[in-house]
Amino acid sequence: MSIFTPTNQIRLTNVAVVRIRRAGKRFEIACYRNKVMGWRSGSEKDLDEVLQTHTVFVNVSKGQVAKKEDLVKAFGTDDQTEICKTILSKGELQVSDKERQTQLEQMFRDIATIVAEKCVNPETKRPYTVILIERAMKDIHYSVKPGKSTKQQALEVIKQLKETMQIERAHMRLRFILPPKEGKRLKEKLKTLIKVIESEDFDEQLEIVCLVDPGCFREIDELIRCETKGKGSLEVLSLKDVEEGDERLE
């Protein structure tokens, strides 16, 4: 197979090895580089895009295939595809120090980008640049966790940055249309979840345009659906309430 050509041939450069130790033996799978993290984060769902071959090895570079009896002893099955999935999720990706550093730097940038996209200065409503967020992350000595998704880490970063700078999630602008019978009662329940009521119109129905924290959206949606038994409606007018121009730190 092409991946077992001499190591000085170019076609080997895209092989990433994921390794696991089970029942006192080493097992490896051959994957496409840059696809393992995608599989683990859930962004890549096609196994064939991740695996070079649905074969379990004891040594990928030498092309030594694992014995059936060893697989059964270690994994309780000889189904190579299922074992590949187990190794993919629980095994250790073999990367050089340089590759690991590049990977961490890329994740650091990705986290900063998510934070910049989601947040504003609450006083000016202006977004921060990615470069400014990166600098702020370095100031708080944020350390990237390779096993955690960038989205989860971005939420952690926002919490930590709140302690050192003016930053918060940009508010969503929503419109509720509530039936008159439940309108006033439901408004009282929604009050704690609303940041700012921009307009309120009570004619045949109660119509409210307001700003909310994105983290409350699901709760608001559920509340309106359950309390009005599907008669009320919720519309997202804008995902982010922001002013034009970037925020700068003097």
Side-chain angles (χ1 to χ4, degrees):
M1 295 168 76
S2 63
I3 57 168
F4 307 127
T5 50
T7 51
N8 61 353
Q9 288 196 13
I10 292 170
R11 73 189 92 166
L12 244 183
T13 58
N14 200 32
V15 177
V17 174
V18 181
R19 182 184 297 158
I20 198 169
R21 288 195 78 85
R22 283 270 179 103
K25 291 192 182 293
R26 184 176 81 176
F27 300 96
E28 297 181 345
I29 53 174
C31 305
Y32 290 104
R33 202 168 290 288
N34 305 327
K35 290 289 186 176
V36 177
M37 299 309 283
W39 175 268
R40 288 177 174 178
S41 69
S43 61
E44 179 57 73
K45 292 180 172 61
D46 186 350
L47 196 60
D48 290 328
E49 289 291 316
V50 184
L51 295 176
Q52 297 255 5
T53 170
H54 291 238
T55 306
V56 182
F57 303 90
V58 289
N59 190 312
V60 167
S61 60
K62 291 180 182 175
Q64 295 171 349
V65 178
K67 291 176 186 170
K68 186 177 174 180
E69 57 266 31
D70 290 340
L71 294 176
V72 173
K73 189 179 175 186
F75 299 95
T77 179
D78 63 350
D79 184 328
Q80 301 252 351
T81 300
E82 286 308 309
I83 296 169
C84 283
K85 285 182 185 175
T86 301
I87 297 173
L88 250 183
S89 60
K90 296 181 178 175
E92 189 181 330
L93 177 62
Q94 306 300 301
V95 290
S96 67
D97 289 343
K98 190 181 176 185
E99 283 174 317
R100 190 176 285 109
Q101 188 56 36
T102 304
Q103 201 175 60
L104 291 174
E105 284 169 5
Q106 185 57 53
M107 282 186 84
F108 191 89
R109 270 193 297 276
D110 291 346
I111 294 164
T113 302
I114 295 169
V115 173
E117 283 171 356
K118 287 182 180 292
C119 295
V120 292
N121 179 325
E123 289 183 357
T124 63
K125 292 285 188 291
R126 284 182 170 176
Y128 288 105
T129 62
V130 175
I131 291 168
L132 204 147
I133 295 295
E134 281 185 348
R135 198 190 311 153
M137 285 168 66
K138 284 172 185 168
D139 288 345
I140 62 167
H141 307 293
Y142 185 76
S143 179
V144 174
K145 300 163 190 72
K148 236 179 179 182
S149 79
T150 49
K151 211 170 187 178
Q152 282 177 308
Q153 293 189 71
L155 295 174
E156 280 177 18
V157 167
I158 294 167
K159 275 184 198 168
Q160 291 182 31
L161 289 181
K162 278 182 178 178
E163 295 171 16
T164 59
M165 64 190 282
Q166 291 275 3
I167 189 168
E168 68 175 28
R169 295 278 298 271
H171 295 143
M172 294 172 83
R173 182 174 280 106
L174 304 177
R175 180 192 282 127
F176 315 140
I177 298 176
L178 310 171
K181 206 174 179 184
E182 294 90 352
K184 284 183 179 174
R185 179 176 53 82
L186 192 48
K187 183 191 162 187
E188 288 305 308
K189 288 190 176 182
L190 289 166
K191 255 184 182 174
T192 55
L193 303 170
I194 294 171
K195 289 284 184 184
V196 180
I197 292 180
E198 293 189 324
S199 70
E200 192 175 336
D201 185 27
F202 195 81
D203 193 5
E204 288 180 11
Q205 301 180 99
L206 176 60
E207 184 179 319
I208 297 172
V209 175
C210 61
L211 299 176
V212 304
D213 189 300
C216 297
F217 177 76
R218 196 169 290 172
E219 194 179 340
I220 291 168
D221 185 36
E222 223 165 80
L223 198 58
I224 291 172
R225 257 186 301 123
C226 295
E227 295 281 335
T228 67
K229 295 180 172 61
K231 291 175 188 170
S233 69
L234 169 60
E235 184 188 351
V236 178
L237 299 179
S238 68
L239 288 171
K240 289 199 301 184
D241 174 43
V242 295
E243 295 291 335
E244 289 298 315
D246 292 324
E247 190 60 32
R248 290 180 175 81
L249 285 182
E250 296 303 324

